[in-house]
Amino acid sequence: MTPGKKGILERLDAGEVVIGDGGFVFALEKRGYVKAGPWTPEAAAEHPEAVRQLHREFLRAGANVMQTFTFYASDDKLENRGNKVTFTGAQINEAACDLAREVANEGDALVAGGVCQTPSYLSCKSETEVKGILKKQLDVFIKKNVDFLIAEYFEHVEEAVWAVEVLKETGKPVAASMCIGPDGDMHGVSPGECAVRLVKAGAQIVGVNCHFDPMTCVKTVKMMKEGVEKAGLKAHYMVQPLAYHTPDCNCQGFIDLPEFPFGLEPRILSRWDMHKYAREAFNAGIRFIGGCCGFEPYHIRAVAEELGPERGFLPAASEKHGNWGAGLEMHTKPWVRARARRDYWENLKPASGRPQCPSMSAPDGWGVTKGHTDLMQQKEATSQDQLKQLFDRSKSH
């Protein structure tokens, strides 16, 4: 811990609002530093300047957690399905920790080391094997002395519990965040029960991230909170949702949408949607509020601006952003100056500009999860024969 900084639990215990950062994987894919498909974070070692700059933009926007860019940095994911990287998992994880710490030290931010679900679990490997994979990442986080740990993006509570058990061995604060919606995990375990299991495993902060839009995620965390309180347990709560509208998603979330991942832009939330999300999350008793895929720094700035009264300050990036569009007072066109008011932006219903497109989609529903042969992973690249089988099957859904 950097001298003089309060830790994550100290901040949450005091009722402070902690703002997370955004979706590094999607943001860096759009910038040309991450490959869609494997979604692995070797950019931390290959292009540290890009990762550092994105950290700085989120810090300037108001985030006070710099999460290490270690999503899918487990050894089994780095070498899954023919993925080839020139750095080891340890090198990527170490570089990510150094970058997060460097930028965190430029402000009042903490560094969170993150692990997520593994191909090994989907392939039905044992608890010992899965924990061994996670522990390799954890060894780097201990070496680099991150401030706290996050087990995030888990579809199955069983694997999330295993991750918490591994992270707890460090004695550092542990947050656990699942990528589930109101229907629960992929084996039907309810959000409330998932949260109870995670708290009992040792997580002090529980919540959800990714897969669903902000309001759906807030609803899910409310269900977690109810379950924890009903069980007579205590925890802090976090939420880091998508920046995409997902009213048509099923239990698998946005990866089942036909637009995933290259056609999601029409679903993006506006900065004003983020104000509503931040307020809804705060009113639900959630105090660790951030974002995941699709979140850009301006989205996090909107969260920080909405919660400015509670935090007692605005982020540095607000120097270039008039409150509720106030900067438009300086526009040359009078009809644009007329939009420099809160009620205009708060009540706007944005058009997509796509008259031939539907407002919602029909998600794919293959109905497979851990334990199904279709989700068995492999080191070898996906073969043309395997792809043909998938193409043929997709036509029948």
Side-chain angles (χ1 to χ4, degrees), residues 211-250:
H211 275 206
F212 297 92
D213 61 46
M215 294 309 183
T216 302
C217 285
V218 170
K219 177 182 177 181
T220 306
V221 178
K222 285 182 181 178
M223 296 170 72
M224 287 183 150
K225 188 170 184 284
E226 289 170 3
V228 169
E229 291 173 351
K230 186 176 180 180
L233 302 171
K234 290 185 178 181
H236 295 292
Y237 300 93
M238 67 182 295
V239 61
Q240 299 204 102
L242 298 175
Y244 303 108
H245 293 285
T246 61
D248 41 355
C249 279
N250 56 27

Side-chain angles (χ1 to χ4, degrees), residues 40-365:
T40 47
E42 58 270 17
E46 290 177 346
H47 298 285
E49 74 287 351
V51 177
R52 182 187 296 109
Q53 177 62 23
L54 191 54
H55 275 306
R56 282 186 175 142
E57 290 179 21
F58 281 117
L59 181 73
R60 178 174 168 80
N64 50 1
V65 172
M66 297 291 104
Q67 201 164 324
T68 58
F69 185 40
T70 51
F71 180 81
Y72 274 164
S74 60
D75 285 344
D76 60 341
K77 187 65 173 78
L78 290 170
E79 59 187 21
N80 193 49
R81 292 198 174 275
N83 190 37
K84 297 188 186 302
V85 296
T86 56
F87 294 89
T88 66
Q91 289 173 322
I92 293 168
N93 283 286
E94 287 196 18
C97 288
D98 289 342
L99 291 167
R101 177 62 70 193
E102 177 186 348
V103 177
N105 286 347
E106 296 172 5
D108 184 35
L110 301 173
V111 174
V115 300
C116 63
Q117 63 183 6
T118 65
S120 292
Y121 181 81
L122 288 180
S123 297
C124 300
K125 297 290 180 66
S126 70
E127 177 180 348
T128 300
E129 290 173 295
V130 172
K131 285 184 172 180
I133 289 286
L134 296 170
K135 193 174 185 308
K136 284 187 179 181
Q137 280 188 273
L138 184 61
D139 289 341
V140 175
F141 298 146
I142 295 170
K143 176 182 176 181
K144 294 297 183 178
N145 196 28
V146 300
D147 298 318
F148 70 103
L149 299 160
I150 301 178
E152 70 166 2
Y153 198 76
F154 285 88
E155 296 174 309
H156 303 88
V157 68
E158 180 181 52
E159 187 183 16
V161 165
W162 294 352
V164 170
E165 289 172 348
V166 170
L167 300 185
K168 282 300 294 181
E169 294 175 4
T170 66
K172 292 182 180 291
V174 174
S177 183
M178 298 187 66
C179 52
I180 63 173
D183 291 333
D185 86 344
M186 292 303 100
H187 285 150
V189 181
S190 72
E193 177 60 23
C194 285
V196 168
R197 294 185 191 181
L198 293 169
V199 173
K200 287 183 176 179
Q204 294 111 322
I205 308 164
V206 294
V208 297
N209 76 292
C210 207
H211 275 206
F212 297 92
D213 61 46
M215 294 309 183
T216 302
C217 285
V218 170
K219 177 182 177 181
T220 306
V221 178
K222 285 182 181 178
M223 296 170 72
M224 287 183 150
K225 188 170 184 284
E226 289 170 3
V228 169
E229 291 173 351
K230 186 176 180 180
L233 302 171
K234 290 185 178 181
H236 295 292
Y237 300 93
M238 67 182 295
V239 61
Q240 299 204 102
L242 298 175
Y244 303 108
H245 293 285
T246 61
D248 41 355
C249 279
N250 56 27
C251 67
Q252 186 74 67
F254 81 141
I255 61 173
D256 271 12
L257 292 175
E259 299 93 344
F260 176 87
F262 300 127
L264 290 166
E265 284 80 2
R267 294 173 175 266
I268 200 79
L269 273 76
S270 72
R271 65 194 68 195
W272 315 117
D273 294 324
M274 292 301 175
H275 277 263
K276 296 174 185 176
Y277 151 59
R279 184 54 53 191
E280 185 76 9
F282 183 86
N283 289 343
I286 304 168
R287 292 296 178 267
F288 186 158
I289 303 169
C292 200
C293 298
F295 266 74
E296 293 284 345
Y298 76 94
H299 289 125
I300 291 298
R301 180 180 61 187
V303 171
E305 288 181 342
E306 174 63 29
L307 299 176
E310 286 77 12
R311 299 177 87 201
F313 61 92
L314 291 174
S318 292
E319 297 169 2
K320 298 294 185 181
H321 188 242
N323 191 36
W324 288 100
L328 299 181
E329 296 169 3
M330 304 168 69
H331 202 279
T332 57
K333 304 297 189 292
W335 57 90
V336 178
R337 292 198 297 273
R339 299 169 190 161
R341 64 187 196 276
R342 177 171 181 162
D343 66 307
Y344 177 87
W345 295 109
E346 221 170 20
N347 296 305
L348 181 70
K349 298 206 168 17
S352 71
R354 297 171 180 267
Q356 303 303 314
C357 292
S359 61
M360 292 196 284
S361 297
D364 290 327

